[in-house]
C-alpha cells in the first residue's frame, strides 16, 4: 500500500491524500500553524527535506543545518506525533505556537523530541520560526538523603556540608 492510500503519518487520522499531501506537494498552503507543524512532521517521516527548508522562516532559514536535518530524517524511524497544545496560529492569526512530542527511534533506541515551536504567517503562508526543547522532569526514585546522612557523592562529608547546600 502506498503512502497516498494510507493514514497520514501526522496522526490526524485522515488519509495522507486528504491531510498533508496537498501541503507537501505545494498544491495548498497549510491553513494553520498546527497544520504546518503536522505537515513538517510528515515531511520528516518521508524524507522530504526540501519541504522542511521551504517552510522554515526566511529570516531564520540560514540557521537550519540542511545536511543534519536530512540525516536525522533518514536515520530515524518515526513512531508518532502527539500535539500537546496550540496557542493562536489559526487562519486569522499571524503568530502561533505548537507544543508537541515527536517519537522516533534510532539504532533501536526510542526517543521523544518534546518541543515548543513558534510559527509566523507571512504573505498568507505559515513558517516555522524556532523551536525550544521542553526539559524533561526527572524524578528521583531512590531513597531520600537526610541532612546528616553521608553525602551520596562519596566525599565522606555529611550531605548538608557537601552537595546539600
Amino acid at each position: 500500500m502506498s503512502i497516498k492510500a494510507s493514514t497520514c503519518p501526522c496522526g490526524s487520522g485522515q488519509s495522507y491524500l486528504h491531510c498533508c499531501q496537498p501541503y507537501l506537494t505545494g498544491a495548498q498552503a497549510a491553513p494553520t500553524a498546527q497544520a504546518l507543524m503536522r505537515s513538517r512532521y510528515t515531511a520528516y517521516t518521508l524524507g522530504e527535506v526540501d519541504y522542511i527548508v521551504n517552510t522554515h522562516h526566511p529570516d531564520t532559514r540560514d540557521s537550519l543545518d540542511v545536511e543534519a536535518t536530512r540525516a536525522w530524517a533518514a536515520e530515524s524511524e518515526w513512531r508518532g506525533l502527539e500535539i500537546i497544545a496550540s496557542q493562536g496560529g489559526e487562519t486569522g492569526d499571524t503568530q502561533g505556537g505548537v507544543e508537541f512530542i515527536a517519537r522516533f527511534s534510532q539504532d533501536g533506541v526510542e526517543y521523544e523530541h518534546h518541543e515548543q515551536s513558534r510559527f509566523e504567517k507571512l504573505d498568507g503562508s505559515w513558517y516555522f520560526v524556532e523551536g525550544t526543547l521542553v526539559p524533561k522532569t526527572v524524578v528521583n526514585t531512590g531513597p531520600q538523603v537526610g541532612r546528616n546522612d553521608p553525602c551520596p557523592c562519596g566525599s565522606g562529608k555529611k550531605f548538608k556540608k557537601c552537595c546539600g547546600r
Side-chain angles (χ1 to χ4, degrees):
M1 175 168 38
S2 73
I3 184 71
K4 292 179 183 180
S6 66
T7 303
C8 193
C10 79
S12 68
Q14 299 178 42
S15 72
Y16 172 68
L17 180 67
H18 295 104
C19 190
C20 290
Q21 183 188 31
Y23 312 139
L24 270 71
T25 62
Q28 292 179 356
T32 64
Q34 188 178 131
L36 181 65
M37 169 50 244
R38 288 180 175 281
S39 66
R40 285 174 57 89
Y41 172 83
T42 297
Y44 276 102
T45 70
L46 300 175
E48 297 286 343
V49 176
D50 288 345
Y51 183 79
I52 301 296
V53 173
N54 293 335
T55 58
H56 207 92
H57 195 284
D59 291 348
T60 59
R61 198 172 286 163
D62 290 343
S63 68
L64 178 64
D65 185 337
V66 176
E67 290 312 310
T69 300
R70 191 176 312 282
W72 187 35
E75 295 168 4
S76 299
E77 186 174 329
W78 299 94
R79 304 283 191 185
L81 176 67
E82 178 184 354
I83 303 295
I84 306 297
S86 292
Q87 305 83 32
E90 296 301 319
T91 55
D93 295 330
T94 57
Q95 296 192 11
V98 179
E99 181 179 348
F100 67 92
I101 298 173
R103 292 179 176 83
F104 65 99
S105 64
Q106 287 181 330
D107 299 322
V109 179
E110 300 288 327
Y111 295 97
E112 288 187 348
H113 180 85
H114 189 172
E115 181 177 301
Q116 175 67 48
S117 293
R118 191 166 65 86
F119 297 87
E120 186 174 315
K121 191 186 233 182
L122 295 174
D123 300 323
S125 294
W126 283 102
Y127 293 93
F128 169 81
V129 177
E130 67 180 347
T132 304
L133 291 177
V134 176
K136 186 173 184 172
T137 303
V138 178
V139 178
N140 183 2
T141 58
Q144 293 288 330
V145 178
R147 290 177 35 84
N148 291 316
D149 290 339
C151 191
C153 77
S155 67
K157 298 179 183 178
K158 289 184 178 183
F159 178 69
K160 67 181 178 184
K161 296 284 187 179
C162 190
C163 295
R165 292 183 193 195

